[in-house]
Amino acid sequence: MISPAAAARITVIALDVDGVLTDGGLILGDVAGSPVELKRYDVQDGLGIYLLRRAGLKVVIVTGRESESVRLRALELNVDGLSQDRHARKLPNLVKLLAEVGGTLEQTAFLGDDIPDVAILRKVGMPVSVGNATPEARAASQVQLAKCGGRGAVREFAATVRKLLGNQKVRYTVEPKIDGAAISLTYV
């Protein structure tokens, strides 16, 4: 799977959206004459991203679509960078994001699932495919996760990396926005 030495070299986690942060499904509709695109995100994946950031790793999102849903999710997760490009120029956009956050391709783990991700998977230090990835994406990956995109794959990866980095027991505080009460939890 992942060696501790390989995990220690990673400083940036880059994520695809459709098929990685989501199950790949899209809900398209119309609200008052305006097109709307909705996506379903996994809450456990969101907490995994939070825990990766708490461990000192940068997290960026690179997608070949433009979506307000993705912008809102990136904002909610407080990721370090976001690139949305409807022309799916993912590799050059990832390189730009890495320059902004202070990382290199060799220091990056990328989670992908499909043919548009293969160029990045072939260039990064730790190419990772989710459980429902295409044969092409899996062939370009050193790490193949069991969980499917949008169904805990990011959390599975986060838990593995954090354990290898020695951060399997971390105290953190979650502050719900609804009532403002702070809740102390322990991730094990």
Side-chain angles (χ1 to χ4, degrees):
M1 182 88 173
I2 303 172
S3 73
R9 286 190 299 269
I10 299 303
T11 62
V12 180
I13 309 298
L15 306 166
D16 177 37
V17 175
D18 297 312
V20 173
L21 287 175
T22 76
D23 62 7
L26 299 173
I27 300 171
L28 301 174
D30 180 290
V31 175
S34 296
V36 176
E37 177 180 299
L38 301 174
K39 300 173 188 277
R40 180 197 163 280
Y41 300 94
D42 189 289
V43 172
Q44 291 184 359
D45 285 342
L47 185 55
I49 291 168
Y50 174 82
L51 294 170
L52 287 167
R53 293 192 72 246
R54 286 291 300 238
L57 298 166
K58 302 286 186 185
V59 177
V60 299
I61 296 173
V62 181
T63 181
R65 295 178 58 89
E66 293 178 353
S67 169
E68 180 66 6
S69 169
V70 174
R71 187 190 72 76
L72 292 171
R73 185 64 170 156
L75 184 65
E76 177 183 57
L77 295 172
N78 197 29
V79 297
D80 299 288
L82 169 64
S83 173
Q84 298 190 79
D85 180 3
R86 64 186 174 97
H87 300 293
R89 295 173 292 225
K90 291 183 174 184
L91 181 56
N93 288 324
L94 175 59
V95 170
K96 287 179 191 174
L97 284 175
L98 292 173
E100 292 172 13
V101 302
T104 66
L105 288 169
E106 184 58 35
Q107 297 169 316
T108 301
F110 177 74
L111 279 69
D113 75 303
D114 210 341
I115 293 170
D117 301 323
V118 170
I120 293 177
L121 290 167
R122 289 181 177 157
K123 295 284 186 183
V124 295
M126 185 180 292
V128 181
S129 61
V130 296
N132 57 319
T134 63
E136 296 86 355
R138 291 181 81 72
S141 298
Q142 293 173 354
V143 178
Q144 297 176 355
L145 301 172
K147 300 269 186 179
C148 293
R151 303 285 183 197
V154 175
R155 181 65 174 271
E156 175 188 347
F157 179 75
T160 302
V161 168
R162 289 176 51 78
K163 184 175 181 183
L164 290 170
L165 294 175
N167 293 314
Q168 65 269 30
K169 292 186 179 181
V170 174
R171 294 198 181 277
Y172 59 93
T173 302
V174 177
E175 296 183 18
K177 296 176 183 175
I178 296 172
D179 62 10
I183 303 170
S184 293
L185 303 171
T186 302
Y187 172 76
V188 178

